[in-house]
Amino acid sequence: MSDSCPTLRRDGEQVIILDQTRLPYQECFLCLDSLEAAATAIRDMQVRGAPLIGATAAFGMALALRHDASDAALATADACLRQTRPTAVNLHWALDRMLAALRPVPHATRGAAAWAEAEAIRAGDVAANAAIGQHGLGILQALQDEGRKPLQIMTHCNAGWLATCGHGTALAPIYAAHAAGLDVHVWVSETRPRNQGLLTAWELDRAGVPHTLIADNAAGWLMANGRVDCIIVGADRIAANGDAANKVGTYLKALAAHAHDIPFYVAAPRSTIDFRCPEGKAIPIEERSAEEIRVLTGISENGGPATLRIAETRTAACNPAFDVTPAGLVNGIICDFGIYPPGALASLEHR
């Protein structure tokens, strides 16, 4: 985690975010000064990662209530933010929490209460992710005690501090292990078409954690050749039965891990578990623009952002943003309360 490059912070009655659509080539901060700006930041993936999406939505509601804290304004803000991204359950969790906190509050003090609750959600995420790191550290320490040096960890997408308010989820145990002096190496898949693995590589480079970027389709080969000791991924929604939705391509890694008897863990805060969703088939899967498949984004030889079309506009393309890994392929869910078998999540429902 980097304190010098926060993902989300309040500045008076505005909110400052790190524009993740510019990473890893350019660090650019944006000022969100309205409900609409917050909704756009979530929808266009200027902020991304389920925990950070939820926190941004909470601050978006606070922005919306600055000048009008009526019940109608509260309902309008909730409806606007709720429809931005369908899969990340933290979005809905955060908005539900904001509504529960703000509805009983008099209009005259509702604006201040909104800022306070948003700050509490952000601070809670930092604490939850730190706890995930410590719980996951035990897993990695046990593997290294078996003589696996360096410990070879694979991840998919970006579930580091960029995707949260601090520490990360899937990367939190890796950061904790590195800080504890464990000898670790991370296999980082590109995660096309959004190339969010590049953000993981950017993070790990800043933290001094050894890592290697790979094409998504190289994961199975690495596992088959004994070069992976465990896999840790994040999640955007976990169903009550332990099925987990994460960035598309996660399911394939879980299948390969199962075939080669490699432990596969999902790291996510309690707020990512959706107890109203009975199984993975009920998780809504966001389908994004086909242009994300047809067009690559990168950096030009002169150092500026550049795009390259690899398929004609008339080329049909399917772009699901997530897939679902069945609970039977998951060894454990690392959350802020400990490590749970996927079938034992019911005990967390009221925590």
Side-chain angles (χ1 to χ4, degrees):
M1 175 185 167
S2 171
D3 294 327
S4 63
C5 192
T7 52
L8 176 72
R9 63 180 175 86
R10 179 183 175 184
D11 183 9
E13 291 200 340
Q14 298 178 330
V15 175
I16 308 300
I17 64 166
L18 177 62
D19 183 357
Q20 298 192 36
T21 62
R22 303 287 190 92
L23 292 174
Y25 314 112
Q26 183 181 28
E27 291 183 36
C28 180
F29 292 89
L30 293 178
C31 176
L32 307 181
D33 58 2
S34 67
L35 166 66
E36 293 74 19
T40 297
I42 296 170
R43 185 182 304 109
D44 292 351
M45 296 180 69
Q46 291 172 315
V47 293
R48 32 144 310 278
L52 183 59
I53 287 171
T56 303
F59 279 98
M61 186 168 283
L63 286 169
L65 301 182
R66 289 175 303 168
H67 307 301
D68 180 2
S70 65
D71 290 348
L74 184 63
T76 297
D78 177 67
C80 175
L81 292 162
R82 202 172 285 270
Q83 55 80 39
T84 51
R85 298 287 304 275
T87 303
V89 75
N90 296 66
L91 169 70
H92 306 281
W93 170 85
L95 291 172
D96 288 345
R97 177 168 162 174
M98 292 292 286
L99 290 178
L102 298 178
R103 278 174 172 156
V105 176
H107 296 178
T109 57
R110 185 176 277 173
W115 285 114
E117 190 66 15
E119 291 282 7
I121 287 172
R122 181 176 65 170
D125 184 56
V126 174
N129 293 330
I132 288 170
Q134 290 305 305
H135 293 309
L137 173 59
I139 294 173
L140 301 185
Q141 181 68 69
L143 286 171
Q144 188 141 108
D145 288 346
E146 295 175 3
R148 301 169 190 251
K149 291 184 179 181
L151 181 61
Q152 302 287 348
I153 309 165
M154 181 175 286
T155 191
H156 186 66
C157 195
N158 173 258
W161 63 263
L162 285 171
T164 68
C165 297
H167 302 286
T169 54
L171 294 193
I174 295 171
Y175 288 140
H178 181 66
L182 272 65
D183 187 4
V184 299
H185 171 267
V186 185
W187 295 107
V188 180
S189 55
E190 296 167 305
T191 325
R192 293 194 179 184
R194 294 292 303 199
N195 288 337
Q196 286 159 274
L198 301 185
L199 304 186
T200 294
W202 182 81
E203 276 197 44
L204 294 175
D205 180 67
R206 290 169 65 99
V209 178
H211 63 281
T212 303
L213 183 69
I214 60 169
D216 294 344
N217 289 334
W221 180 85
L222 287 166
M223 292 185 222
N225 283 274
R227 299 178 68 179
V228 179
D229 295 316
C230 75
I231 299 174
I232 307 177
V233 300
D236 284 73
R237 186 184 303 227
I238 300 173
N241 72 338
D243 294 346
N246 192 50
K247 186 58 61 181
V248 69
T250 303
Y251 178 40
L252 294 177
K253 284 183 169 57
L255 286 170
H258 183 73
H260 297 288
D261 198 26
I262 297 169
F264 183 98
Y265 293 95
V266 174
R270 157 65 182 79
S271 56
T272 301
I273 304 171
D274 184 359
F275 291 99
R276 294 174 293 186
C277 180
E279 60 181 357
K281 291 181 180 179
I283 298 176
I285 299 299
E286 176 183 4
E287 292 198 31
R288 296 186 62 82
S289 169
E291 282 294 274
E292 292 183 354
I293 300 289
R294 302 183 190 115
V295 177
L296 293 177
T297 300
I299 189 169
S300 66
E301 290 185 358
N302 62 15
T307 59
L308 174 67
R309 177 168 293 280
I310 61 172
E312 297 181 3
T313 304
R314 67 172 180 270
T315 302
C318 176
N319 186 19
F322 304 92
D323 59 24
V324 177
T325 297
L329 299 177
V330 179
N331 290 75
I333 293 173
I334 310 169
C335 80
D336 33 328
F337 293 101
I339 303 169
Y340 292 78
L345 298 181
S347 62
L348 289 170
E349 184 168 4
H350 301 293
R351 297 193 70 168

